[in-house]
Amino acid sequence: MAKYQIVGATGCPTGIAHTYMAQEALQQAAENKGVSIKIETHGQVGIENELTAQEIADADAVIIAADKDVQKGRFAGKQVINVAVGRGIKEADQLIDDALAGKGEVLEDENKQEEQSEQTEGQGETKKANNIGRNIYNNLMNGVSHMLPFVVAGGILMAVSFAIWGVYSAEPDSAQYNETAAMIKGIGDMSMGLMVPVLSAYIAEGIAQRPGLAVGFVGGLIADDGGTGFLGGILSGFLAGYFMLALKKLLAKMPKSLDGLKAIFLYPVIGVSVVGVTMWLLSGPMEAINQGMMDFLVNFEGSNPLILGIIIGCMSAFDMGGPINKAAYVTGTFLLAQGNSGFMAGVSAACIAPPLITGFGALFFGKYFEKNDRNAGFVNFILGSTHITEGAIPFATKDPLRNIPIFMLGSSIAAVLTYMFNVQVPAPHGGFLVLPVVTGKVAWVSSILLGSIIAGLLFGFKQKRLAAKNNTKESEAA
């Protein structure tokens, strides 16, 4: 069996692009330095290039570049560098150097970590707060990552039903009614209906591992049934996860012979009872808050598409797959489940634009780009057209202070025009692949292209000025 100096794991909430970009960046950086490395990926298709226990044991260091749970407990006792997936892409060289230099922390197992944290209470408060914030974000993204396939599958099936047989084809009283359409839409509804329970379940699973899964799922079902929406699902997920952590600690001193009883009886019965009753009681107030937010967004959408479009455009292009982008996207998917397909139209437009902006920039001002960047820009026409915003990230990381505002401008133009034209997109992902089911196809595509071309021209001009500046410096140096 091959031995590796460094092993690692990458994972992002959507599991489509960042996961593999970080893997590639780390592998390339290691290869350049003559270091052997194996990186496991936690993408949307599951775990690939999986590490064995022996490979982990033989490695000198571990790099985790992830915004979701990657089962880091396996690395207990190893020197671990644990960073966000974005740093795995942007700072791969530095991470390899740090790993070789023995930086990072020795990862303790869960129980030892709790004991140590009690003994060192009061020390390193800032560092502890940072870890808590990162853990909360990772657990939230663990839920989002597992929720997305249900949303995509459900949304596409519902969209297909509408596109082929008509919007009212699943309603028995309608003249459009068709049994096949009703069946397909019903399957789509079921898939979408699992969105909140799955979100809650995998937030809890990220926090408390397997004992949190069932409790989080039941809490999510109650939240969904009570009309609390995804906010209730997030609350129930964190409530279930941290309650189960406390329960595990409380029952830790029970005899080892009763471990089976704890797993199959005590954990689920106590957890489901406490979290279930709590969520049941919270459903009323949560439903009111949720409905208020939905009403606010829906009213905003109708009364001021300009401001809503700017907000959504800036959020979607600011971190392209990060937490701010995800806040807009998750709100869109939830409103989609409520039958509002207008909000998602703006979110989709804003997410599609950034990669297209780099493509148009490379197309109009190709000679001012390096060959690799020019080729990457052309590839981004494909990524953008399929709603993979992450294709613009390599450009954003090279010059964030100038490039990200340009992306935000293009996304905002696309979103504002989409809302002004009242476009409806009944699918949460897929980019131009879902065009057949879009209401207002020409307006939607035109909005995206206009925003992308305007920003693409700015992007190209910026690149031209940068190239001229570099040439001037070289001439002066000569």
Side-chain angles (χ1 to χ4, degrees), residues 412-437:
S412 296
I413 293 172
V416 166
L417 292 175
T418 296
Y419 288 131
M420 292 182 74
F421 289 129
N422 196 28
V423 176
Q424 307 290 313
V425 177
H429 214 283
F432 294 146
L433 295 178
V434 301
L435 205 53
V437 300

Side-chain angles (χ1 to χ4, degrees), residues 23-329:
Q23 180 200 29
E24 185 179 351
L26 289 168
Q27 288 176 340
Q28 186 63 52
E31 184 181 334
N32 293 341
K33 298 175 188 295
V35 176
S36 60
I37 191 170
K38 181 177 180 180
I39 300 294
E40 175 184 283
T41 55
H42 291 244
Q44 201 56 259
V45 296
I47 298 174
E48 296 177 285
N49 206 30
E50 188 169 5
L51 298 169
T52 66
Q54 191 61 49
E55 288 169 341
I56 296 171
D58 291 340
D60 298 327
V62 178
I63 298 175
I64 297 175
D67 291 335
K68 62 187 288 189
D69 177 34
V70 292
Q71 305 166 9
K72 68 177 182 180
R74 296 173 294 163
F75 306 121
K78 305 296 294 185
Q79 197 77 24
V80 176
I81 295 175
N82 188 6
V83 298
V85 68
R87 288 190 59 191
I89 301 170
K90 302 173 196 170
E91 303 171 19
D93 284 322
Q94 186 62 50
L95 291 175
I96 297 294
D97 289 340
D98 289 347
L100 294 174
K103 295 183 180 178
E105 294 182 343
V106 176
L107 192 67
E108 302 285 350
D109 67 39
E110 196 174 279
N111 293 330
K112 287 182 181 176
Q113 213 166 18
E114 286 175 4
E115 289 173 10
Q116 192 177 38
S117 68
E118 287 176 0
Q119 292 168 0
T120 60
E121 193 172 359
Q123 299 177 2
E125 290 295 334
T126 302
K127 188 175 181 182
K128 192 186 292 183
N130 288 338
N131 288 338
I132 291 172
R134 178 160 167 72
N135 284 337
I136 289 174
Y137 174 70
N138 282 354
N139 292 323
L140 177 62
M141 290 302 106
N142 193 49
V144 171
S145 172
H146 285 88
M147 175 190 76
L148 279 178
F150 293 87
V151 179
V152 173
I156 293 292
L157 286 177
M158 292 166 66
V160 167
S161 169
F162 293 153
I164 297 177
W165 291 282
V167 175
Y168 304 106
S169 57
E171 297 180 13
D173 297 334
S174 170
Q176 291 181 344
Y177 179 73
N178 179 285
E179 285 189 12
T180 304
M183 178 187 69
I184 292 175
K185 183 177 181 296
I187 295 170
D189 284 341
M190 287 182 187
S191 182
M192 292 287 274
L194 288 171
M195 181 175 75
V196 173
V198 170
L199 172 66
S200 173
Y202 281 94
I203 289 174
E205 190 258 1
I207 298 168
Q209 305 306 312
R210 188 164 177 170
L213 189 65
V215 180
F217 198 86
V218 174
L221 278 173
I222 295 170
D224 192 44
D225 188 60
T228 64
F230 78 92
L231 290 179
I234 291 172
L235 175 65
S236 69
F238 281 107
L239 177 64
Y242 286 117
F243 177 77
M244 293 309 295
L245 266 189
L247 187 61
K248 285 166 68 178
K249 192 173 181 181
L250 188 67
L251 301 181
K253 294 184 179 177
M254 287 180 66
K256 192 77 176 170
S257 59
L258 295 180
D259 277 359
L261 178 68
K262 283 194 290 186
I264 199 68
F265 185 78
L266 294 179
Y267 286 157
V269 172
I270 297 174
V272 168
S273 300
V274 173
V275 174
V277 169
T278 305
M279 287 308 302
W280 196 284
L281 295 175
L282 288 174
S283 289
M286 284 292 297
E287 184 182 13
I289 294 172
N290 191 55
Q291 192 57 50
M293 188 189 75
M294 298 302 151
D295 291 344
F296 171 77
L297 288 172
V298 170
N299 292 334
F300 218 161
E301 180 187 346
S303 62
N304 202 325
L306 176 65
I307 294 178
L308 180 62
I310 292 173
I311 293 172
I312 294 300
C314 291
M315 290 176 70
S316 299
F318 180 73
D319 55 358
M320 291 170 279
I324 296 176
N325 172 288
K326 284 292 177 290
Y329 183 74

Side-chain angles (χ1 to χ4, degrees), residues 361-429:
L363 181 65
F364 299 144
F365 294 85
K367 65 180 180 180
Y368 300 110
F369 287 77
E370 294 177 3
K371 183 181 178 183
N372 286 341
D373 288 346
R374 188 166 59 249
N375 292 338
F378 293 151
V379 171
N380 273 348
F381 279 121
I382 299 172
L383 298 184
S385 299
T386 50
H387 194 141
I388 299 177
T389 317
E390 289 87 343
I393 288 177
F395 293 90
T397 57
K398 286 188 173 181
D399 192 1
L401 293 180
R402 281 178 283 204
N403 290 348
I404 290 177
I406 293 174
F407 296 155
M408 291 166 71
L409 173 67
S411 290
S412 296
I413 293 172
V416 166
L417 292 175
T418 296
Y419 288 131
M420 292 182 74
F421 289 129
N422 196 28
V423 176
Q424 307 290 313
V425 177
H429 214 283

Side-chain angles (χ1 to χ4, degrees), residues 448-463:
I448 295 169
L449 289 180
L450 186 59
S452 302
I453 289 172
I454 291 174
L457 288 169
L458 286 175
F459 187 62
F461 276 123
K462 184 232 61 170
Q463 192 67 23

